[in-house]
Amino acid sequence: MKAAVLKERFPDERRVALLPDNVKKLQAAGYEILIERGAGLGSSITDEDYSAAGAQLIDRAEATAADILLQVRSAGANTANGDDDVQLMHAGQIVIGMCDPLGNAAAIGMLAEQGVSQVALEMVPRISRAQSMDVLSSMATIAGYRAVLHSAFELPRMFPLNMTAAGTLKAAKVFIIGAGVAGLQAAATAKRLGAVVSAYDVRPDCREQVESIGARFVEVQLESDDAEDEGGYAKQQSEEFLVKQRELMAELAAESDVVITTAAIPGRQSPLLISADAVATMKPGSVIVDLAAERGGNCELTQADETVVVHNVTILGPTNLPSEIPNHASQMFGNNITKFLLHLVNDEGEVRLDLEDEIIQGCLVSHAGQVINERIASMLGVEIEEAKQSEDVMDTDNYSEDVDDELDADLELDDDAAADIDSEDAMDTDNYSEDVDDDLDADLELDDEENQ
Ligand code: NAD
């Protein structure tokens, strides 16, 4: 089974879908890994690094002919030239990457016509056994961290409190709106830089997580009985709620030096939380970093991928922060996609898109010539016919049953190493409830038992 990593073509995209360490694990599981020449350079990984790990370096034409294509941005997530890639794909091929299925459903329609089985990594369900495949959390972690660095760079003041002979410099006040994965990472990063951090989220469950990293959870007297869906995501709120919310956010923004907004509703326009009037009341020199810029932004004045200065407030709307820390972003993405690829290999060593599996059901968006995700099909106005399971089995040649055990052992080692190095920080940036961690531990134990 040949799986090829394509060099990313989206402008300024520096990430790569696999790292050399991933290559070794996947080859041991029976995959033959091909890498398009130069694919890793943006992430500081040379062709020689991949060769040393056992991968074969090839050109794009050969890469696009592989059984499985691995991309960071496939199809709809590459609005610059993703359509060209789709033309090179063939029926029966499996493509795995982020493809913005809810933002660009038309691209999924094209993939379906081409007969491609597209895995939209953004749609891997957020269940505990799929946590290690969750690219959204991985990339949000990087984006939250980077957003704080951008804000610190733009702010005409320092973050930490400083008592000097030349007087006392007050700590910066950082206000985070949306305390999901990116927001919590931003809060933890700002805290480490010495800022006074507060955070707000429409989901009340976030309070504990915000407080666990030493930030203040902002109490907002707004009733929302129905803030969260069954997947743990925020639900779209009524316009009446959002109007009240904007008034309260304006008061809080006016007291802050930095506002980082991360509020998102999957597949929808981002809620407008900071109006132009609210920006006008902010302190001169203050900074807004709007991580929701790609879907319209949480601030009315945000312009995607631009830095604008309005009313003496600097507003940044970056849409691809993970690509600014490409090596670590690729490491996380590569580990996520590796876990996914290993999940596809069954006990007989076959690569199988098991249509009964909850993880595959969640993220396989086109298959056997049709769009098979209900939400995307309804966006495109097409019907879904029942897909045939039998077409989905492919054999990997050299699968060793020991591989899953080895990978789990490696992950345990990684976890132990991380715990040894920085156990306090690990607690700080842990975005999940302890219950979820317990569930994950239990799942890993179950996996281990199954693998023995
Ligand atoms: P996201 O990127 O979709 O949204 C970011 C945050 O914005 C969310 O916390 C959301 O509640 C918030 N938000 C939306 N509308 C808002 C509004 N009007 N006002 C204020 N805040 C608003 O979310 P995400 O960070 O990807 O994930 C959300 C949550 O899902 C996580 O915090 C976590 O609890 C859960 N999660 C679970 C798993 C898992 O179990 N495997 C994995 C990842 C995340």
Side-chain angles (χ1 to χ4, degrees):
M1 174 68 48
K2 290 184 176 176
V5 172
L6 298 187
K7 184 171 159 58
E8 297 297 315
R9 295 282 160 123
F10 186 73
D12 297 327
E13 182 52 74
R14 296 168 63 197
R15 288 168 291 176
V16 60
L18 283 184
L19 259 60
D21 275 356
N22 304 133
V23 172
K24 288 184 200 154
K25 282 172 188 148
L26 290 167
Q27 307 242 85
Y31 286 100
E32 188 180 334
I33 302 297
L34 314 173
I35 308 276
E36 185 182 344
R37 286 189 186 85
L41 289 177
S43 294
S44 313
I45 300 153
T46 63
D47 288 352
E48 291 70 35
D49 295 333
Y50 285 115
S51 292
Q56 196 186 332
L57 276 298
I58 50 169
D59 62 21
R60 192 165 188 86
E62 207 180 331
T64 49
D67 307 305
I68 301 179
L69 300 185
L70 307 175
Q71 295 182 286
V72 175
R73 288 176 180 267
S74 69
N78 178 358
T79 46
N81 41 38
D83 291 0
D84 301 344
D85 284 350
V86 177
Q87 303 311 322
L88 298 172
M89 293 169 186
H90 62 258
Q93 197 167 35
I94 300 175
V95 180
I96 306 174
M98 295 189 290
C99 59
D100 194 14
L102 300 175
N104 198 343
I108 308 302
M110 278 174 68
L111 287 157
E113 268 176 38
Q114 201 81 342
V116 171
S117 296
Q118 173 77 40
V119 171
L121 286 173
E122 302 97 323
M123 297 189 79
V124 166
R126 286 181 143 179
I127 52 175
S128 49
R129 80 188 164 96
Q131 254 183 16
S132 56
M133 308 169 196
D134 182 357
V135 294
L136 287 184
S137 291
S138 298
M139 297 305 110
T141 299
I142 306 263
Y145 167 81
R146 187 72 171 179
V148 172
L149 300 192
H150 275 287
S151 70
F153 190 72
E154 293 292 341
L155 190 72
R157 300 161 66 91
M158 298 210 295
F159 266 35
L161 169 78
N162 259 289
M163 289 156 123
T164 75
T168 298
L169 308 178
K170 280 192 187 167
K173 285 187 182 170
V174 175
F175 177 41
I176 313 249
I177 305 180
V181 180
L184 287 172
Q185 181 62 234
T189 306
K191 189 90 191 122
R192 286 183 190 133
L193 282 178
V196 174
V197 183
S198 51
Y200 163 72
D201 198 292
V202 74
R203 294 180 299 117
D205 289 357
C206 294
R207 167 189 281 279
E208 209 181 304
Q209 292 163 341
V210 167
E211 289 176 349
S212 76
I213 56 174
R216 185 172 70 95
F217 187 72
V218 174
E219 198 67 68
V220 169
Q221 297 304 321
L222 277 174
E223 290 303 322
S224 170
D225 312 333
D226 216 10
E228 193 165 314
D229 69 12
E230 62 280 358
Y233 286 112
K235 279 189 174 174
Q236 199 169 22
Q237 301 294 320
S238 69
E239 190 48 34
E240 189 193 355
F241 177 93
L242 288 171
V243 167
K244 282 193 203 149
Q245 200 185 23
R246 278 195 285 276
E247 285 167 16
L248 290 161
M249 293 300 110
E251 287 170 26
L252 292 158
E255 295 166 7
S256 307
D257 298 296
V258 169
V259 178
I260 295 179
T261 68
T262 74
I265 311 291
R268 299 190 192 278
Q269 282 292 101
S270 305
L272 177 57
L273 302 175
I274 304 281
S275 65
D277 289 347
V279 174
T281 65
M282 289 177 70
K283 292 185 262 185
S286 44
V287 179
I288 298 175
V289 182
D290 190 344
L291 290 191
E294 199 166 7
R295 297 213 195 285
N298 292 140
C299 171
E300 193 174 355
L301 300 174
T302 298
Q303 289 182 28
D305 289 318
E306 301 284 339
T307 298
V308 293
V309 181
V310 188
H311 307 301
N312 283 317
V313 176
T314 305
I315 305 166
L316 287 75
T319 62
N320 196 7
L321 289 180
S323 179
E324 294 181 15
I325 307 187
N327 187 278
H328 265 169
S330 300
Q331 184 183 330
M332 293 179 91
F333 189 92
N335 286 341
N336 293 145
I337 211 168
T338 296
K339 257 295 189 184
F340 185 85
L341 284 165
L342 294 176
H343 180 70
L344 296 186
V345 181
N346 68 14
D347 292 344
E348 284 74 47
E350 302 156 341
V351 169
R352 187 154 201 249
L353 285 173
D354 177 1
L355 301 188
E356 304 298 316
D357 176 57
E358 189 183 0
I359 297 175
I360 303 301
Q361 281 177 352
C363 63
L364 188 64
V365 289
S366 73
H367 180 64
Q370 60 169 343
V371 172
I372 61 160
N373 175 283
E374 276 177 25
R375 190 160 165 198
I376 300 165
S378 89
M379 286 165 107
L380 293 170
V382 295
E383 297 278 320
I384 303 178
E385 289 166 29
E386 208 175 315
K388 291 185 220 78
Q389 183 67 64
S390 57
E391 292 166 11
D392 309 317
V393 182
M394 307 180 200
D395 216 357
T396 61
D397 299 323
N398 318 312
Y399 179 68
S400 133
E401 285 190 5
D402 300 335
V403 167
D404 270 357
D405 290 345
E406 278 172 25
L407 183 82
D408 286 341
D410 279 357
L411 286 175
E412 272 166 31
L413 276 178
D414 285 351
D415 287 350
D416 290 350
D420 284 349
I421 292 164
D422 198 357
S423 59
E424 277 188 20
D425 283 356
M427 288 294 291
D428 275 353
T429 53
D430 190 353
N431 298 323
Y432 308 114
S433 71
E434 284 180 11
D435 294 350
V436 174
D437 281 348
D438 290 347
D439 287 352
L440 181 72
D441 289 346
D443 277 0
L444 286 175
E445 274 164 30
L446 276 179
D447 280 355
D448 283 349
E449 280 164 22
E450 278 165 18
N451 289 332
Q452 277 157 15

